């Protein structure tokens, strides 16, 4: 009997299904609209794993049968708590679940709150379930472990709950007590010990006093929304189109987890689709359509409609400022809503009603905070007085609202507010102008700074406005929209993409250090990526889907520079990326430290030898390329279609074994390589000999060769010297630093540079174990005037003041053309400063001198400062990390081009 009665009751619709109020639970359950909701069980190991909420509740109620702890279903407004409890009752009554309970008693807390005086639990149950006889109720209460009590809307309870030790709690189902005391006694297990209790509540502090099992309700996530839309619209094609529009427009907002909101959106979409009208593109447009639809249903005139929205705005203002969710009938009258109270349907259109509409105890609230804030924004624009400006209004509501600024921005657009103005009359032009001025002023200030969150707040406002002209007014120099953004949510991507597409281009789309870039987020950004001259994804993490959309954007976009270094995409991800590289206009690609191996070589060949690639600069540094990978890459470099000019291979685990293949490339006549960086690879002398042979070849076009820390010795210098003496070498820059060249090797190299035909301008021999005789030879070479050297780095060769004197003598020569000299960590002391200053004064070319990490003291500072003051052509003197004290900092500060 009990199950049949509950099942019949569950099929009866209670209340009115309204556009803002949502679909009735009975309609959802019995009309096949119920979608299993997801939840998180905080007490489960491996937290944040989501499960069906029914399954979590079934399991938890089974586990807790003898523990006496209530199960607390907690979720935000509209996430489906009421419908979930109703569905549990129907499932139990129809014999599907929870069959170890003989009776299920379901209460609305707000109904219990209206009970005055005292009564026993038995009396309460008999009043609520009149179909049960006193005899059957008496038997039921004797087996509490077979009873399940459900309490919905627990956050509405006006009473505090006493701790279990309180003498006010009752233990006998025949004991008289207040309704709140009976509920508290059930929750704390003093009454009907062993009975199961399930309550549903919004997050509230009252739950903290209960020792229970908390289940967090997530509501509708994207899969549930998709399933719901496909049930709402019978045509699969229409359903897919509606779902895509809903996700594009609203899917990034947290409130989309509300099934009620999902039903509202579907209802509006169906109405618009049937009328042949466009679907909304913003949250503002959605609420404009809803408000117009509800007002039209009231069949009143413009003046009445305007008064209604203004009155609702006053109520919204009161609720926002006082933080009271409900208003009394007396308060509604004071807001000017008395004429509106004559019809239950009219009230339900905009407000929730608790109690009998004819009773003075009836209370009213908005269906949602979204609705409250929209009516607050609309009423602000309807008010043509000059009582307050937008800045004053926003400051007044600061901390109480989340969407007010967005609605004000959306309604400032004439196209978005037009349907509302057609029903209510024109908005205040003064207030709209005031808002636009505020937005422009605020945006210029925010976008000129570096605060990421403020940037995105601004972007969201501008996106909601759907006003391309406003965006172009706001984003002017010195606005920055290319800063590093870190984490990006879907809403951030939508707003950022809107900004860039309005502007039509962006110099650098900087997404550096963005974690968890998914296919969904990058798909949203594809239009912006197509318009970006440069895309920075350094240290970001991209899924395979994200890389696929990035590849698509590259293949049809304007991007010429892409930085994906430290993204750990691996060979699989790189293969996906390559699908977009062949047809892109990309000139520069950095995939350093991306977890690539030799397996990526085949994909590189397919891109570089395609005949369509425009890639000029490729960075593969810090990948496990190895010799086999370089040999594969060499096949591409041999292609006459390969346009590559700059190849960065730092730390790629290469050896001399792959240098023969690379040398063949350089000599082939097809290679366009101008720059080659082999830093920190074990090339060895044999590998350098192969490279040196190619440097002598007339077809070799290499101009920059970096062999820093390649485990070279002086034995390789003879081959290098031969290349310089050949007259065919094109090298302008050579870095042999951190190799043990020694005196003999370095001298061979210096003597080779006497050849007047060599083009070398930059030479780095840092930490090459060079001796004073080598510096003597370098000094003679520089004084001769025959070499073209403009930059020389010879630091970390500890030859002291005596060795450096050869360089000072050379600098003083009118034939020396050095512009940059690095003598870091050479053991220099104050004793060399006099010669150093004299040399720099005499030099007609030197612009930069690096003296870092030497032994200069405060005694040297006056002379160095005087030197820089007398030599305005000197751009930098770097004396960092010397033995100077803070006492001389004030003196050094007199020269802005001294770094200390």
């Amino acid at each position: 009997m009990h199950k049949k009665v509950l099942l019949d009751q569950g099929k009866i619709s209670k209340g009115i299904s309204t556009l803002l109020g949502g679909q009735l639970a009975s309609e959802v359950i019995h009309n096949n609209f119920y979608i299993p909701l997801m939840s998180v069980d905080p007490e489960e190991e491996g937290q944040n794993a989501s499960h069906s909420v029914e399954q979590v509740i079934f399991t938890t109620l089974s586990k807790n049968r003898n523990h006496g702890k209530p199960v607390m279903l907690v979720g935000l407004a509209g996430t489906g708590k009421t419908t979930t409890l109703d569905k549990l009752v129907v499932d139990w009554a129809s014999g599907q679940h929870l069959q170890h309970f003989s009776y299920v008693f379901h209460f609305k807390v707000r109904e219990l709150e209206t009970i005055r005086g005292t009564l026993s639990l038995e009396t309460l149950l008999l009043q609520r379930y009149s179909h049960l006889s006193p005899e059957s109720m008496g038997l039921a209460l004797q087996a509490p472990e077979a009873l399940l009590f459900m309490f919905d809307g627990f956050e509405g309870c006006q009473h505090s709950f006493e701790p279990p030790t309180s003498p006010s709690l009752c233990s006998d189902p025949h004991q008289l007590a207040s309704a709140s005391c009976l509920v508290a006694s059930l929750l704390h297990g003093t009454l009907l010990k062993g009975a199961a209790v399930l309550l549903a509540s919004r997050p509230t502090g009252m739950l903290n006093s209960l020792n229970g099992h908390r289940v967090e309700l997530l509501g509708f996530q994207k899969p549930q929304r998709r399933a719901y839309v496909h049930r709402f619209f019978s045509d699969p094609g229409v359903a897919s189109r509606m779902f895509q529009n809903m996700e594009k427009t609203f899917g990034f907002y947290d409130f989309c987890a509300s099934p009620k909101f999902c039903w509202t959106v579907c209802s509006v979409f169906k109405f618009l689709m049937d009328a042949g009208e466009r679907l909304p593109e913003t949250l503002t447009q959605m609420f404009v359509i809803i408000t117009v639809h509800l007002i039209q249903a009231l069949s009143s005139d413009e003046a009445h409609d305007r008064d209604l929205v203004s009155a609702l705005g006053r109520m919204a203002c009161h609720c926002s400022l006082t933080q009271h969710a409900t208003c009394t009938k007396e308060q509604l009258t004071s807001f000017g809503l008395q004429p509106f109270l004559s019809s239950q349907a009219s009230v339900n259109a905009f407000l929730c009603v608790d109690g009998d509409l004819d009773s003075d105890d009836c209370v009213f609230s908005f269906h949602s905070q979204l609705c409250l804030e929209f009516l607050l924004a609309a009423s602000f624009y309807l008010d043509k007085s000059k009582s307050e400006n937008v800045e004053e209004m926003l400051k007044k509501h600061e901390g109480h609202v989340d969407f007010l600024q967005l609605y004000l921005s959306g309604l400032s657009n004439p196209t978005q507010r037009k349907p509302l103005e057609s029903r209510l009359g024109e908005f205040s032009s003064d207030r709209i102008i005031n808002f636009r001025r505020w937005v422009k002023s605020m945006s210029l200030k925010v976008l000129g700074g570096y605060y990421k969150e403020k940037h995105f707040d601004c972007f969201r406002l501008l996106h909601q406005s759907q006003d391309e002209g406003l965006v172009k007014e706001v984003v002017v120099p010195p606005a920055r929209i290319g800063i590093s953004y870190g984490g990006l949510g879907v809403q951030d991507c939508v707003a950022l993409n809107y900004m860039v597409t309005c502007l039509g281009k962006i110099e650098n789309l900087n997404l550096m250090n963005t974690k968890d870039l998914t296919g969904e987020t990058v798909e949203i950004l594809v239009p912006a990526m197509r318009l970006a001259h440069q895309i920075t994804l350094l240290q970001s993490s991209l899924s395979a889907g994200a890389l696929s959309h990035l590849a698509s954007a590259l293949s049809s976009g304007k991007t010429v520079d892409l930085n994906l270094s430290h993204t750990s995409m691996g060979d699989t991800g790189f293969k996906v990326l390559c699908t977009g590289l062949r047809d892109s206009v990309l000139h520069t690609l950095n995939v350093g430290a991306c977890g690539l191996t030799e397996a990526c070589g085949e994909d590189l060949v397919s891109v570089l030898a395609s005949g369509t690639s425009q890639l000029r600069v490729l960075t593969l540094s810090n990948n496990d390329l190895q010799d086999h990978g370089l040999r594969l890459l060499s096949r591409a470099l041999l292609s006459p279609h390969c346009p590559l000019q700059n190849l960065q291979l730092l730390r790629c685990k290469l050896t001399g074994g792959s240098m023969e293949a690379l040398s063949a490339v350089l000599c082939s006549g097809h290679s366009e390589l101008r720059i080659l960086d082999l830093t920190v690879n074990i090339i060895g002398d044999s590998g350098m000999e192969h490279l040196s042979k190619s440097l002598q070849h007339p077809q070799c076009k290499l101009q920059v060769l970096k062999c820093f820390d390649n485990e070279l010795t002086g034995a390789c210098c003879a081959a290098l010297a031969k290349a310089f003496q050949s007259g065919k070498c094109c090298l302008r820059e050579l870095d042999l630093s951190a190799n043990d060249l020694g005196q003999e090797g370095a001298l061979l190299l210096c003597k080779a540079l006497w050849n007047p035909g060599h083009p070398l301008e930059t030479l780095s021999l840092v930490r090459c174990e060079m001796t004073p005789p080598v510096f003597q030879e370098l000094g003679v070479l520089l004084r001769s005037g025959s070499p073209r050297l403009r930059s020389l780095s010879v630091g970390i060769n500890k030859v002291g003041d005596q060795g450096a004197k050869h360089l000072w003598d050379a600098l003083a020569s009118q034939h020396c053309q050095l512009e940059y000299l690095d003598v870091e960590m050479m053991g220099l002391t104050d004793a060399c400063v006099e010669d150093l200053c004299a040399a720099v004064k005499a030099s007609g070319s030197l612009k930069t001198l690096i003296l870092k990490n030497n032994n200069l003291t405060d005694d040297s500072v006056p002379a160095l400062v005087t030197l820089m003051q007398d030599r305005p052509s000197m751009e930098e003197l770097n004396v960092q990390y010397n033995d100077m004290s803070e006492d001389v900092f004030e003196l050094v500060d007199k020269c802005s081009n001294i770094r200390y």
Side-chain angles (χ1 to χ4, degrees):
M1 167 66 76
H2 185 56
K3 287 186 175 182
K4 184 178 186 305
V5 171
L6 290 190
L7 197 57
D8 290 340
Q9 287 179 346
K11 294 177 181 178
I12 300 173
S13 293
K14 299 173 185 177
I16 302 173
S17 184
T18 64
L19 193 57
L20 285 171
Q23 192 176 18
L24 294 175
S26 57
E27 294 178 2
V28 172
I29 295 168
H30 296 290
N31 294 337
N32 196 32
F33 277 105
Y34 184 78
I35 304 293
L37 300 175
M38 305 307 289
S39 67
V40 172
D41 184 353
E43 297 183 16
E44 183 185 59
E45 291 186 13
Q47 294 181 0
N48 297 327
S50 58
H51 305 279
S52 161
V53 67
E54 294 99 327
Q55 191 57 52
V56 173
I57 291 174
F58 298 155
T59 303
T60 305
L61 287 174
S62 298
K63 286 181 180 178
N64 290 354
R65 284 184 66 182
N66 299 317
H67 295 171
K69 294 182 179 181
V71 178
M72 301 177 287
L73 181 63
V74 183
L76 299 175
T79 49
K81 299 181 294 297
T82 295
T83 304
T84 297
L85 293 193
D86 286 351
K87 181 68 164 57
L88 289 173
V89 172
V90 170
D91 285 350
W92 173 79
S94 58
Q96 296 182 44
H97 298 295
L98 302 174
Q99 296 305 292
H100 55 281
F101 294 113
S102 300
Y103 291 90
V104 172
F105 301 121
H106 186 197
F107 292 94
K108 304 288 186 183
V109 170
R110 68 171 180 268
E111 294 173 357
L112 294 175
E113 289 291 309
T114 63
I115 298 175
R116 300 290 181 262
T118 60
L119 73 172
S120 69
L121 178 63
E122 182 179 36
T123 302
L124 175 64
L125 293 174
L126 287 172
Q127 288 179 357
R128 173 71 176 82
Y129 297 99
S130 57
H131 61 277
L132 293 176
S133 67
E135 294 78 10
S136 60
M137 183 62 71
L139 291 173
L141 296 177
Q142 292 177 24
E145 67 280 357
L147 304 181
L148 171 60
F149 289 85
M150 293 183 180
F151 297 100
D152 189 18
F154 189 74
E155 72 282 348
C157 189
Q158 301 298 314
H159 302 275
S160 62
F161 289 94
E162 301 289 340
T165 56
S166 172
S168 64
L169 297 181
C170 56
S171 57
D172 186 342
H174 305 291
Q175 180 180 342
L176 297 180
S178 66
S180 62
C181 180
L182 295 176
V183 174
S185 300
L186 284 169
L187 290 172
H188 288 301
T190 64
L191 181 60
L192 293 183
K193 186 175 182 180
V197 179
L198 171 63
L199 62 88
S201 176
R202 298 179 189 178
T204 173
M206 287 192 299
L207 300 176
N208 298 331
S209 63
L210 296 176
N211 181 20
H213 189 101
R214 188 175 178 125
V215 178
E216 302 286 348
L217 187 60
L218 300 178
F220 272 3
Q221 303 301 297
K222 189 171 182 176
Q224 287 78 46
R225 292 198 291 271
R226 179 185 287 108
Y228 185 87
V229 173
H230 277 266
R231 290 191 188 182
F232 194 98
F233 297 97
S234 57
D235 185 317
V238 171
S240 294
R241 184 162 61 89
M242 296 297 129
F243 175 72
Q244 288 171 9
N245 186 277
M246 183 168 71
E247 289 302 296
K248 176 185 175 183
T249 309
F250 310 112
F252 41 83
Y253 290 116
D254 291 340
F255 56 73
C256 283
S258 165
K260 177 174 72 174
F261 183 77
C262 192
W263 177 80
T264 301
V265 172
C266 287
S267 300
V268 171
F269 279 14
K270 186 176 188 307
F271 168 76
L272 294 173
M273 182 184 68
D274 292 344
E277 297 182 22
R278 291 180 60 183
L279 301 180
E281 296 180 5
T282 66
L283 184 63
T284 300
Q285 286 181 6
M286 177 72 176
F287 273 87
V288 165
I289 293 166
I290 291 173
T291 305
V292 169
H293 182 76
L294 293 175
I295 288 174
Q296 284 176 337
L298 300 178
S299 301
S300 52
D301 58 31
E302 178 183 304
H304 181 274
D305 294 343
R306 191 180 185 96
D307 290 343
L308 169 60
V309 174
S310 296
L312 288 168
R314 287 189 285 273
M315 176 183 172
C317 182
H318 168 80
C319 292
S320 171
L321 296 178
T322 63
Q323 293 292 280
H324 288 155
T326 61
C327 291
T328 65
K329 184 178 287 188
E330 182 181 357
Q331 287 172 322
L332 256 64
T333 300
S334 70
F335 301 140
L337 285 166
Q338 181 62 36
F340 180 56
L341 299 176
S342 59
S343 165
Q344 179 82 42
S346 298
V347 176
N348 281 334
F350 286 99
L351 302 175
C352 296
V353 183
D354 276 336
D356 186 351
L357 190 60
D358 296 327
S359 170
D360 290 337
D361 293 332
C362 185
V363 294
F364 305 85
S365 60
F366 287 99
H367 286 292
S368 69
Q369 183 70 14
L370 289 173
C371 178
L372 181 155
E373 293 184 32
F374 176 79
L375 291 167
L376 183 58
S379 64
F380 175 77
Y381 282 138
L382 286 174
D383 185 356
K384 294 189 177 183
S385 70
K386 298 182 179 180
S387 56
E388 66 178 348
N389 60 37
V390 67
E391 196 165 3
E392 292 169 338
M393 187 248 202
L394 291 173
K395 187 173 183 179
K396 182 170 69 176
H397 291 279
E398 188 176 4
H400 301 156
V401 293
D402 294 317
F403 296 93
L404 180 57
Q405 286 188 13
L406 295 181
Y407 287 135
L408 289 170
S409 182
L411 290 172
S412 71
N413 182 325
T415 302
Q416 294 195 88
R417 69 175 182 265
K418 183 178 179 181
L420 204 54
E421 283 187 312
S422 67
R423 294 293 307 183
L424 307 179
E426 288 186 357
F427 284 8
S428 168
S429 58
D430 288 342
R431 290 196 164 186
I432 289 171
I433 292 170
N434 174 238
F435 176 81
R436 289 176 70 90
R437 285 175 180 165
W438 173 81
V439 166
K440 186 173 181 180
S441 173
M442 178 273 298
S443 300
L444 288 172
K445 182 179 178 181
V446 166
L447 296 181
Y450 292 94
Y451 293 99
K452 167 197 160 186
E453 292 305 325
K454 290 185 177 180
H455 273 232
F456 274 106
D457 287 343
C458 177
F459 291 173
R460 293 181 193 114
L461 273 183
L462 293 168
H463 169 249
Q464 195 69 207
S465 76
Q466 292 293 293
D467 190 334
E468 183 178 320
L470 181 59
V471 173
K472 291 180 177 178
E473 279 183 52
V474 165
V475 187
V476 294
R480 302 180 179 94
I481 64 168
I483 64 173
S484 177
Y485 290 110
L488 277 182
V490 175
Q491 185 177 1
D492 300 324
C493 292
V494 169
L496 179 58
N497 183 70
Y498 177 75
M499 294 288 292
V500 175
T501 51
C502 281
L503 296 171
K505 64 179 180 179
I506 184 172
E507 183 60 30
N508 182 14
L509 185 61
N510 194 337
L511 305 174
M512 175 181 170
N513 198 31
T514 305
K515 303 306 178 186
D516 301 320
L517 273 170
T518 64
E520 180 183 18
T521 52
V522 176
E523 184 178 17
I524 293 168
L525 286 172
V526 164
M529 288 178 165
R530 288 179 177 140
L531 296 170
H533 182 266
Q534 178 181 356
I535 300 176
T536 301
L537 286 159
L538 170 69
Q539 295 179 335
S540 298
S541 54
L542 297 89
S543 68
L547 286 167
S548 178
H549 289 301
L550 174 60
S552 173
L554 292 172
S555 66
S556 56
K558 302 176 180 179
T559 305
V560 297
D561 188 339
L562 174 63
N563 187 346
L564 283 163
S565 61
H566 295 84
T567 56
S568 303
M569 72 174 78
D571 295 328
T572 303
F574 186 67
K575 183 182 288 290
V576 174
L577 181 70
C578 285
T579 61
L581 296 181
R582 298 181 189 92
D583 299 320
S584 73
V585 295
L586 207 64
H587 285 192
T588 302
L589 174 63
N590 187 340
V591 287
C594 283
L596 306 183
T597 71
E598 58 190 45
C600 76
E602 293 289 355
D603 296 303
L604 283 169
V605 171
S606 69
V607 171
L608 294 172
S610 64
T612 56
S613 171
Q614 299 184 40
L615 204 59
R616 302 289 190 274
V617 181
L618 175 62
T619 299
L620 290 165
S621 301
N622 294 293
N623 286 298
D624 192 11
L625 195 62
Q626 300 192 37
D627 289 341
H628 181 63
L630 182 54
R631 292 190 187 102
L632 287 172
L633 178 58
S634 296
R635 283 169 39 196
L637 297 174
L638 282 168
S639 168
H641 302 298
C642 178
L644 205 63
Q645 297 179 357
N646 184 334
L647 180 58
Q648 302 289 312
L649 297 171
L650 181 150
R651 287 193 180 91
C652 283
K653 298 185 180 179
L654 307 176
T655 73
S658 56
M659 292 302 104
E660 185 175 2
L662 192 54
S663 178
V665 168
L666 296 172
C667 300
S668 66
H670 298 306
S671 172
E672 295 295 324
L673 271 184
R674 303 292 197 277
I675 301 173
L676 177 62
D677 188 348
L678 295 169
T679 296
V680 193
N681 286 289
I682 309 174
I683 302 304
D685 294 333
S686 62
M688 180 52 74
E689 288 181 7
H690 285 299
L691 293 174
S692 297
K693 288 180 182 177
S694 63
L695 293 175
Q696 302 173 48
H697 199 282
Q699 300 276 28
C700 180
K701 301 171 185 175
L702 202 64
Q703 297 177 2
V704 178
L705 177 60
K706 297 184 180 181
C707 294
F708 182 102
D709 194 6
N710 280 178
E711 297 198 7
L712 306 178
T713 72
C716 74
C717 290
L720 266 173
K722 189 175 180 182
F724 284 122
Q725 292 167 340
S726 68
K728 298 173 184 176
C729 178
C730 298
L731 278 188
R732 292 184 294 101
E733 180 178 343
L734 176 63
D735 187 353
L736 295 171
S737 299
N739 289 293
D740 189 7
L741 301 184
Q743 177 173 301
E744 184 178 350
L747 286 173
L748 274 174
L749 199 58
C750 289
K751 289 176 181 176
L753 294 179
W754 279 95
N755 186 342
H758 82 79
L760 200 66
E761 296 178 355
T762 300
L763 178 62
S764 296
L765 297 170
V766 175
R767 208 182 77 201
C768 283
E769 306 299 328
M770 298 194 300
T771 60
V774 177
F775 279 78
Q776 182 178 2
E777 184 67 24
L778 279 171
V780 175
L781 181 67
L782 291 169
R783 288 197 304 271
S784 70
S786 59
R788 301 180 183 179
L789 279 179
R790 299 290 186 274
S791 174
L792 179 63
S793 299
V794 289
I796 321 182
N797 289 287
K798 294 190 177 181
V799 295
D801 294 338
Q802 286 301 113
K805 190 175 187 309
H806 299 294
L807 299 180
W808 310 144
D809 292 344
L811 278 178
S813 169
Q814 62 179 349
H815 299 296
C816 180
Q817 302 178 54
L818 276 187
E819 298 176 3
Y820 178 97
L821 177 60
D822 182 352
V823 288
E824 178 182 0
M825 202 182 292
M826 284 180 48
L828 305 181
T829 70
D830 294 335
C832 78
V833 172
E834 184 178 351
D835 290 338
L836 181 158
C837 290
V840 175
K841 285 180 182 178
S843 172
S845 59
L846 194 67
K847 296 178 181 178
T848 302
L849 177 60
I850 308 298
L851 291 167
K852 288 168 35 176
N853 285 300
N854 281 292
N855 304 319
L856 305 180
T857 70
D858 292 358
D859 294 340
S860 298
V861 172
L864 294 174
V865 170
T866 301
L867 168 67
M868 295 301 287
Q869 290 174 333
D870 292 344
R871 272 292 310 272
S873 60
M874 277 289 287
E875 296 174 358
E876 179 184 347
L877 173 64
N878 192 322
V879 292
Q880 291 175 315
Y881 315 120
N882 276 275
D883 297 332
M884 297 173 182
S885 70
E886 294 182 4
D887 297 339
V888 298
F889 287 176
E890 186 176 350
L891 178 59
V892 176
D893 283 338
K894 292 183 178 180
C895 292
S896 60
N897 47 3
I898 297 182
R899 295 185 62 190
Y900 64 94

